[in-house]
Short mmCIF file of all heavy atoms in Angstrom, two decimals:
data_model
loop_
_atom_site.label_atom_id
_atom_site.label_comp_id
_atom_site.label_asym_id
_atom_site.label_seq_id
_atom_site.Cartn_x
_atom_site.Cartn_y
_atom_site.Cartn_z
N ILE A 145 43.13 -31.41 17.51
CA ILE A 145 41.84 -31.09 18.11
C ILE A 145 41.41 -32.20 19.08
O ILE A 145 40.92 -31.92 20.18
CB ILE A 145 40.78 -30.89 17.01
CG1 ILE A 145 41.09 -29.61 16.21
CG2 ILE A 145 39.37 -30.81 17.62
CD1 ILE A 145 40.20 -29.42 14.99
N GLY A 146 41.63 -33.44 18.68
CA GLY A 146 41.27 -34.56 19.55
C GLY A 146 41.98 -34.52 20.88
O GLY A 146 41.40 -34.83 21.93
N ALA A 147 43.27 -34.13 20.86
CA ALA A 147 44.03 -34.02 22.11
C ALA A 147 43.39 -32.99 23.03
O ALA A 147 43.26 -33.22 24.25
CB ALA A 147 45.47 -33.65 21.80
N MET A 148 42.98 -31.85 22.47
CA MET A 148 42.35 -30.82 23.29
C MET A 148 40.96 -31.23 23.75
O MET A 148 40.54 -30.91 24.88
CB MET A 148 42.31 -29.50 22.51
CG MET A 148 43.69 -28.88 22.33
SD MET A 148 43.71 -27.28 21.51
CE MET A 148 43.56 -27.78 19.79
N GLU A 149 40.24 -31.95 22.91
CA GLU A 149 38.91 -32.41 23.29
C GLU A 149 38.97 -33.35 24.49
O GLU A 149 38.08 -33.33 25.36
CB GLU A 149 38.23 -33.10 22.11
CG GLU A 149 37.73 -32.12 21.05
CD GLU A 149 37.06 -32.82 19.87
OE1 GLU A 149 37.28 -34.04 19.70
OE2 GLU A 149 36.32 -32.14 19.15
N ARG A 150 40.00 -34.20 24.56
CA ARG A 150 40.13 -35.11 25.69
C ARG A 150 40.27 -34.32 26.99
O ARG A 150 39.67 -34.65 28.02
CB ARG A 150 41.33 -36.04 25.50
CG ARG A 150 41.12 -37.08 24.40
CD ARG A 150 42.33 -37.97 24.20
NE ARG A 150 42.14 -38.84 23.05
CZ ARG A 150 41.48 -40.00 23.07
NH1 ARG A 150 40.98 -40.44 24.22
NH2 ARG A 150 41.35 -40.72 21.98
N LEU A 151 41.07 -33.27 26.96
CA LEU A 151 41.21 -32.41 28.15
C LEU A 151 39.91 -31.69 28.46
O LEU A 151 39.50 -31.60 29.63
CB LEU A 151 42.34 -31.40 27.92
CG LEU A 151 43.75 -31.97 27.75
CD1 LEU A 151 44.70 -30.87 27.30
CD2 LEU A 151 44.25 -32.61 29.03
N ASN A 152 39.26 -31.19 27.43
CA ASN A 152 38.01 -30.46 27.62
C ASN A 152 36.93 -31.36 28.22
O ASN A 152 36.17 -30.95 29.10
CB ASN A 152 37.56 -29.89 26.27
CG ASN A 152 36.54 -28.79 26.41
OD1 ASN A 152 35.45 -28.84 25.86
ND2 ASN A 152 36.88 -27.74 27.16
N ASN A 153 36.89 -32.60 27.76
CA ASN A 153 35.92 -33.56 28.30
C ASN A 153 36.17 -33.88 29.76
O ASN A 153 35.27 -34.29 30.49
CB ASN A 153 35.92 -34.85 27.48
CG ASN A 153 35.37 -34.67 26.09
OD1 ASN A 153 34.66 -33.69 25.82
ND2 ASN A 153 35.68 -35.59 25.19
N ALA A 154 37.44 -33.69 30.19
CA ALA A 154 37.80 -33.93 31.59
C ALA A 154 37.56 -32.70 32.46
O ALA A 154 37.86 -32.72 33.66
CB ALA A 154 39.26 -34.37 31.69
N GLY A 155 37.05 -31.63 31.85
CA GLY A 155 36.72 -30.44 32.62
C GLY A 155 37.68 -29.28 32.47
O GLY A 155 37.50 -28.24 33.10
N ILE A 156 38.72 -29.43 31.66
CA ILE A 156 39.65 -28.32 31.42
C ILE A 156 39.01 -27.37 30.41
O ILE A 156 38.88 -27.69 29.23
CB ILE A 156 41.01 -28.82 30.90
CG1 ILE A 156 41.68 -29.74 31.93
CG2 ILE A 156 41.93 -27.63 30.58
CD1 ILE A 156 42.07 -29.07 33.22
N LYS A 157 38.58 -26.21 30.89
CA LYS A 157 37.93 -25.22 30.02
C LYS A 157 38.89 -24.12 29.59
O LYS A 157 38.68 -23.47 28.57
CB LYS A 157 36.74 -24.57 30.75
CG LYS A 157 35.76 -25.57 31.37
CD LYS A 157 35.16 -26.50 30.33
CE LYS A 157 34.17 -27.46 30.98
NZ LYS A 157 33.71 -28.51 30.03
N ARG A 158 39.93 -23.90 30.39
CA ARG A 158 40.91 -22.85 30.05
C ARG A 158 42.00 -23.50 29.20
O ARG A 158 43.08 -23.85 29.68
CB ARG A 158 41.46 -22.21 31.31
CG ARG A 158 40.42 -21.43 32.08
CD ARG A 158 41.05 -20.53 33.11
NE ARG A 158 41.51 -21.26 34.28
CZ ARG A 158 42.39 -20.78 35.16
NH1 ARG A 158 42.93 -19.58 34.99
NH2 ARG A 158 42.76 -21.50 36.21
N LEU A 159 41.68 -23.66 27.93
CA LEU A 159 42.56 -24.34 26.99
C LEU A 159 43.17 -23.36 26.01
O LEU A 159 42.59 -22.33 25.67
CB LEU A 159 41.76 -25.38 26.19
CG LEU A 159 41.61 -26.79 26.75
CD1 LEU A 159 40.66 -27.60 25.87
CD2 LEU A 159 42.96 -27.50 26.86
N GLY A 160 44.34 -23.70 25.52
CA GLY A 160 44.97 -22.95 24.44
C GLY A 160 45.78 -23.90 23.57
O GLY A 160 46.06 -25.04 23.97
N ALA A 161 46.14 -23.46 22.40
CA ALA A 161 46.93 -24.26 21.46
C ALA A 161 48.27 -23.58 21.24
O ALA A 161 48.38 -22.35 21.26
CB ALA A 161 46.19 -24.42 20.14
N ILE A 162 49.30 -24.41 21.02
CA ILE A 162 50.62 -23.89 20.65
C ILE A 162 50.99 -24.45 19.29
O ILE A 162 51.08 -25.67 19.11
CB ILE A 162 51.71 -24.29 21.67
CG1 ILE A 162 51.40 -23.73 23.05
CG2 ILE A 162 53.08 -23.78 21.20
CD1 ILE A 162 52.38 -24.17 24.13
N HIS A 163 51.20 -23.55 18.34
CA HIS A 163 51.65 -23.93 17.00
C HIS A 163 53.17 -23.94 17.02
O HIS A 163 53.80 -22.89 17.13
CB HIS A 163 51.10 -22.92 15.99
CG HIS A 163 51.73 -22.99 14.65
ND1 HIS A 163 52.37 -21.90 14.07
CD2 HIS A 163 51.84 -24.00 13.77
CE1 HIS A 163 52.85 -22.25 12.90
NE2 HIS A 163 52.55 -23.52 12.68
N ARG A 164 53.76 -25.15 16.91
CA ARG A 164 55.23 -25.25 16.97
C ARG A 164 55.80 -25.81 15.67
O ARG A 164 56.97 -26.20 15.61
CB ARG A 164 55.68 -26.09 18.16
CG ARG A 164 55.00 -27.44 18.36
CD ARG A 164 55.47 -28.53 17.46
NE ARG A 164 56.72 -29.09 17.92
CZ ARG A 164 57.48 -29.92 17.23
NH1 ARG A 164 57.09 -30.28 16.01
NH2 ARG A 164 58.59 -30.41 17.69
N GLY A 165 54.98 -25.85 14.61
CA GLY A 165 55.45 -26.35 13.33
C GLY A 165 55.40 -27.86 13.26
O GLY A 165 55.12 -28.55 14.25
N PHE A 166 55.71 -28.39 12.05
CA PHE A 166 55.51 -29.81 11.77
C PHE A 166 56.76 -30.42 11.15
O PHE A 166 57.42 -29.80 10.32
CB PHE A 166 54.32 -29.97 10.83
CG PHE A 166 53.05 -29.38 11.38
CD1 PHE A 166 52.72 -28.05 11.13
CD2 PHE A 166 52.21 -30.12 12.18
CE1 PHE A 166 51.57 -27.49 11.65
CE2 PHE A 166 51.05 -29.57 12.72
CZ PHE A 166 50.73 -28.25 12.45
N SER A 167 57.04 -31.65 11.55
CA SER A 167 58.23 -32.34 11.04
C SER A 167 58.11 -32.60 9.55
O SER A 167 57.01 -32.77 9.01
CB SER A 167 58.41 -33.67 11.77
OG SER A 167 58.70 -33.45 13.13
N SER A 168 59.26 -32.63 8.89
CA SER A 168 59.30 -32.90 7.45
C SER A 168 60.58 -33.64 7.12
O SER A 168 61.63 -33.39 7.73
CB SER A 168 59.23 -31.59 6.66
OG SER A 168 59.49 -31.82 5.29
N TYR A 169 60.50 -34.55 6.17
CA TYR A 169 61.71 -35.25 5.71
C TYR A 169 62.56 -34.35 4.81
O TYR A 169 63.75 -34.56 4.65
CB TYR A 169 61.34 -36.52 4.96
CG TYR A 169 60.81 -37.62 5.86
CD1 TYR A 169 59.48 -38.01 5.80
CD2 TYR A 169 61.63 -38.26 6.78
CE1 TYR A 169 58.99 -39.00 6.64
CE2 TYR A 169 61.17 -39.26 7.61
CZ TYR A 169 59.83 -39.63 7.54
OH TYR A 169 59.35 -40.60 8.36
N ASP A 170 61.93 -33.34 4.22
CA ASP A 170 62.65 -32.45 3.33
C ASP A 170 63.51 -31.48 4.14
O ASP A 170 63.14 -31.05 5.24
CB ASP A 170 61.67 -31.65 2.47
CG ASP A 170 60.84 -32.54 1.57
OD1 ASP A 170 61.38 -33.59 1.13
OD2 ASP A 170 59.67 -32.21 1.31
N LYS A 171 64.66 -31.14 3.60
CA LYS A 171 65.51 -30.15 4.24
C LYS A 171 65.00 -28.75 3.90
O LYS A 171 64.85 -28.40 2.73
CB LYS A 171 66.96 -30.30 3.77
CG LYS A 171 67.67 -31.53 4.35
CD LYS A 171 69.14 -31.53 4.00
CE LYS A 171 69.86 -32.72 4.66
NZ LYS A 171 71.31 -32.73 4.35
N THR A 172 64.70 -27.97 4.91
CA THR A 172 64.22 -26.61 4.71
C THR A 172 64.97 -25.68 5.64
O THR A 172 65.79 -26.10 6.46
CB THR A 172 62.71 -26.51 5.00
OG1 THR A 172 62.50 -26.58 6.42
CG2 THR A 172 61.92 -27.63 4.32
N MET A 173 64.68 -24.40 5.54
CA MET A 173 65.31 -23.42 6.42
C MET A 173 64.81 -23.53 7.85
O MET A 173 65.40 -23.00 8.79
CB MET A 173 65.07 -22.01 5.89
CG MET A 173 63.62 -21.59 5.88
SD MET A 173 63.35 -19.97 5.11
CE MET A 173 64.11 -18.89 6.30
N TYR A 174 63.68 -24.24 8.02
CA TYR A 174 63.06 -24.36 9.33
C TYR A 174 63.38 -25.69 10.00
O TYR A 174 63.55 -26.71 9.32
CB TYR A 174 61.54 -24.23 9.22
CG TYR A 174 61.06 -22.94 8.61
CD1 TYR A 174 60.55 -22.92 7.32
CD2 TYR A 174 61.13 -21.75 9.32
CE1 TYR A 174 60.11 -21.73 6.75
CE2 TYR A 174 60.70 -20.56 8.76
CZ TYR A 174 60.18 -20.56 7.47
OH TYR A 174 59.75 -19.39 6.90
N ARG A 175 63.39 -25.69 11.32
CA ARG A 175 63.47 -26.95 12.05
C ARG A 175 62.17 -27.73 11.87
O ARG A 175 62.18 -28.95 11.69
CB ARG A 175 63.73 -26.68 13.53
CG ARG A 175 63.78 -27.94 14.38
CD ARG A 175 64.10 -27.62 15.84
NE ARG A 175 64.09 -28.82 16.66
CZ ARG A 175 64.31 -28.86 17.96
NH1 ARG A 175 64.56 -27.72 18.61
NH2 ARG A 175 64.28 -29.99 18.63
N ASN A 176 61.06 -27.02 11.96
CA ASN A 176 59.73 -27.59 11.73
C ASN A 176 58.94 -26.65 10.83
O ASN A 176 58.85 -25.45 11.12
CB ASN A 176 58.99 -27.79 13.06
CG ASN A 176 59.68 -28.80 13.97
OD1 ASN A 176 59.70 -29.98 13.69
ND2 ASN A 176 60.26 -28.32 15.06
N LEU A 177 58.37 -27.19 9.77
CA LEU A 177 57.66 -26.34 8.81
C LEU A 177 56.48 -25.63 9.46
O LEU A 177 55.68 -26.28 10.16
CB LEU A 177 57.15 -27.20 7.64
CG LEU A 177 58.22 -27.76 6.69
CD1 LEU A 177 57.56 -28.68 5.68
CD2 LEU A 177 58.95 -26.63 5.98
N PRO A 178 56.32 -24.34 9.23
CA PRO A 178 55.20 -23.63 9.87
C PRO A 178 53.82 -24.15 9.42
O PRO A 178 52.93 -24.30 10.25
CB PRO A 178 55.41 -22.18 9.43
CG PRO A 178 56.83 -22.08 9.01
CD PRO A 178 57.21 -23.42 8.50
N GLN A 179 53.67 -24.38 8.12
CA GLN A 179 52.37 -24.81 7.58
C GLN A 179 51.24 -23.99 8.23
O GLN A 179 50.32 -24.52 8.87
CB GLN A 179 52.16 -26.31 7.78
CG GLN A 179 53.23 -27.15 7.09
CD GLN A 179 52.74 -28.53 6.69
OE1 GLN A 179 51.61 -28.68 6.23
NE2 GLN A 179 53.58 -29.52 6.85
N TRP A 180 51.32 -22.68 8.02
CA TRP A 180 50.41 -21.74 8.68
C TRP A 180 48.94 -22.05 8.42
O TRP A 180 48.07 -21.67 9.22
CB TRP A 180 50.73 -20.32 8.23
CG TRP A 180 52.05 -19.80 8.68
CD1 TRP A 180 53.17 -19.60 7.92
CD2 TRP A 180 52.44 -19.39 10.01
NE1 TRP A 180 54.21 -19.11 8.67
CE2 TRP A 180 53.78 -18.97 9.95
CE3 TRP A 180 51.76 -19.35 11.23
CZ2 TRP A 180 54.47 -18.51 11.07
CZ3 TRP A 180 52.44 -18.89 12.35
CH2 TRP A 180 53.78 -18.47 12.26
N HIS A 181 48.65 -22.72 7.32
CA HIS A 181 47.23 -22.98 7.01
C HIS A 181 46.57 -23.86 8.08
O HIS A 181 45.35 -23.82 8.24
CB HIS A 181 47.10 -23.65 5.64
CG HIS A 181 47.71 -25.02 5.54
ND1 HIS A 181 49.06 -25.22 5.39
CD2 HIS A 181 47.15 -26.26 5.59
CE1 HIS A 181 49.30 -26.51 5.33
NE2 HIS A 181 48.17 -27.17 5.46
N ILE A 182 47.37 -24.64 8.83
CA ILE A 182 46.79 -25.52 9.84
C ILE A 182 46.31 -24.71 11.06
O ILE A 182 45.15 -24.86 11.47
CB ILE A 182 47.76 -26.64 10.21
CG1 ILE A 182 48.00 -27.54 8.98
CG2 ILE A 182 47.23 -27.46 11.39
CD1 ILE A 182 48.97 -28.67 9.19
N PRO A 183 47.14 -23.85 11.67
CA PRO A 183 46.58 -23.03 12.75
C PRO A 183 45.50 -22.06 12.27
O PRO A 183 44.59 -21.72 13.03
CB PRO A 183 47.80 -22.27 13.30
CG PRO A 183 48.84 -22.36 12.24
CD PRO A 183 48.61 -23.66 11.54
N ILE A 184 45.57 -21.65 11.00
CA ILE A 184 44.52 -20.79 10.46
C ILE A 184 43.18 -21.54 10.44
O ILE A 184 42.13 -21.00 10.81
CB ILE A 184 44.89 -20.29 9.05
CG1 ILE A 184 46.02 -19.26 9.13
CG2 ILE A 184 43.68 -19.70 8.33
CD1 ILE A 184 46.61 -18.86 7.80
N GLU A 185 43.21 -22.81 10.02
CA GLU A 185 41.99 -23.61 10.01
C GLU A 185 41.51 -23.87 11.44
O GLU A 185 40.30 -23.89 11.71
CB GLU A 185 42.24 -24.93 9.28
CG GLU A 185 41.08 -25.92 9.31
CD GLU A 185 39.80 -25.41 8.67
OE1 GLU A 185 39.83 -24.39 7.95
OE2 GLU A 185 38.74 -26.05 8.90
N LEU A 186 42.44 -24.09 12.37
CA LEU A 186 42.06 -24.26 13.77
C LEU A 186 41.35 -23.01 14.27
O LEU A 186 40.32 -23.10 14.97
CB LEU A 186 43.30 -24.55 14.61
CG LEU A 186 43.07 -24.75 16.12
CD1 LEU A 186 42.20 -25.99 16.37
CD2 LEU A 186 44.40 -24.88 16.86
N ARG A 187 41.86 -21.83 13.93
CA ARG A 187 41.23 -20.57 14.34
C ARG A 187 39.83 -20.45 13.72
O ARG A 187 38.89 -19.97 14.36
CB ARG A 187 42.13 -19.41 13.95
CG ARG A 187 41.56 -18.00 14.04
CD ARG A 187 40.99 -17.63 15.39
NE ARG A 187 41.87 -17.85 16.52
CZ ARG A 187 42.82 -17.00 16.92
NH1 ARG A 187 43.04 -15.87 16.26
NH2 ARG A 187 43.55 -17.26 17.98
N ARG A 188 39.68 -20.88 12.48
CA ARG A 188 38.37 -20.80 11.83
C ARG A 188 37.35 -21.66 12.56
O ARG A 188 36.20 -21.26 12.75
CB ARG A 188 38.47 -21.25 10.37
CG ARG A 188 37.19 -21.05 9.56
CD ARG A 188 37.27 -21.70 8.20
NE ARG A 188 37.24 -23.16 8.28
CZ ARG A 188 36.13 -23.88 8.45
NH1 ARG A 188 34.96 -23.29 8.57
NH2 ARG A 188 36.19 -25.20 8.50
N ARG A 189 37.78 -22.84 12.99
CA ARG A 189 36.85 -23.75 13.66
C ARG A 189 36.56 -23.35 15.10
O ARG A 189 35.44 -23.54 15.58
CB ARG A 189 37.42 -25.18 13.65
CG ARG A 189 37.53 -25.79 12.27
CD ARG A 189 37.62 -27.29 12.40
NE ARG A 189 38.27 -27.91 11.25
CZ ARG A 189 38.48 -29.21 11.13
NH1 ARG A 189 38.09 -30.02 12.11
NH2 ARG A 189 39.09 -29.70 10.07
N TYR A 190 37.59 -22.82 15.77
CA TYR A 190 37.44 -22.46 17.18
C TYR A 190 37.95 -21.03 17.40
O TYR A 190 39.06 -20.83 17.91
CB TYR A 190 38.20 -23.44 18.09
CG TYR A 190 37.70 -24.86 17.97
CD1 TYR A 190 38.35 -25.78 17.14
CD2 TYR A 190 36.57 -25.29 18.67
CE1 TYR A 190 37.88 -27.08 17.02
CE2 TYR A 190 36.10 -26.59 18.55
CZ TYR A 190 36.76 -27.48 17.73
OH TYR A 190 36.29 -28.76 17.61
N PRO A 191 37.15 -20.05 17.00
CA PRO A 191 37.63 -18.66 17.08
C PRO A 191 37.93 -18.17 18.49
O PRO A 191 38.67 -17.21 18.67
CB PRO A 191 36.48 -17.86 16.44
CG PRO A 191 35.30 -18.77 16.46
CD PRO A 191 35.83 -20.15 16.39
N GLU A 192 37.37 -18.83 19.51
CA GLU A 192 37.60 -18.41 20.90
C GLU A 192 38.82 -19.08 21.52
O GLU A 192 39.20 -18.76 22.64
CB GLU A 192 36.36 -18.73 21.75
CG GLU A 192 35.08 -18.07 21.27
CD GLU A 192 35.22 -16.56 21.18
OE1 GLU A 192 35.78 -15.95 22.11
OE2 GLU A 192 34.79 -15.98 20.16
N LEU A 193 39.44 -20.02 20.81
CA LEU A 193 40.59 -20.75 21.34
C LEU A 193 41.86 -19.90 21.20
O LEU A 193 42.25 -19.57 20.08
CB LEU A 193 40.77 -22.07 20.60
CG LEU A 193 41.94 -22.95 21.02
CD1 LEU A 193 41.67 -23.59 22.38
CD2 LEU A 193 42.22 -24.03 19.97
N PRO A 194 42.54 -19.57 22.29
CA PRO A 194 43.81 -18.83 22.17
C PRO A 194 44.86 -19.69 21.47
O PRO A 194 45.02 -20.87 21.79
CB PRO A 194 44.21 -18.54 23.62
CG PRO A 194 42.98 -18.77 24.43
CD PRO A 194 42.18 -19.82 23.71
N ILE A 195 45.56 -19.10 20.51
CA ILE A 195 46.60 -19.82 19.79
C ILE A 195 47.93 -19.07 19.97
O ILE A 195 48.04 -17.89 19.65
CB ILE A 195 46.28 -19.97 18.30
CG1 ILE A 195 44.93 -20.67 18.10
CG2 ILE A 195 47.39 -20.77 17.59
CD1 ILE A 195 44.53 -20.83 16.65
N PHE A 196 48.91 -19.79 20.49
CA PHE A 196 50.26 -19.26 20.65
C PHE A 196 51.14 -19.82 19.53
O PHE A 196 50.90 -20.92 19.03
CB PHE A 196 50.85 -19.68 22.00
CG PHE A 196 50.21 -19.04 23.19
CD1 PHE A 196 48.93 -19.40 23.60
CD2 PHE A 196 50.88 -18.06 23.90
CE1 PHE A 196 48.35 -18.81 24.71
CE2 PHE A 196 50.30 -17.46 25.02
CZ PHE A 196 49.03 -17.84 25.42
#
Side-chain angles (χ1 to χ4, degrees):
I145 292 172
M148 290 184 280
E149 285 180 341
R150 290 179 186 276
L151 296 170
N152 198 236
N153 291 341
I156 299 295
K157 309 301 181 188
R158 294 194 285 162
L159 272 174
I162 299 176
H163 166 238
R164 49 78 79 191
F166 302 90
S167 294
S168 170
Y169 288 111
D170 297 327
K171 287 188 176 181
T172 73
M173 64 185 291
Y174 302 106
R175 178 178 178 181
N176 296 291
L177 290 175
Q179 300 208 40
W180 293 107
H181 65 281
I182 295 178
I184 288 171
E185 175 61 14
L186 180 63
R187 169 55 52 84
R188 187 189 71 80
R189 294 199 204 179
Y190 299 97
E192 301 304 316
L193 179 73
I195 303 179
F196 290 72

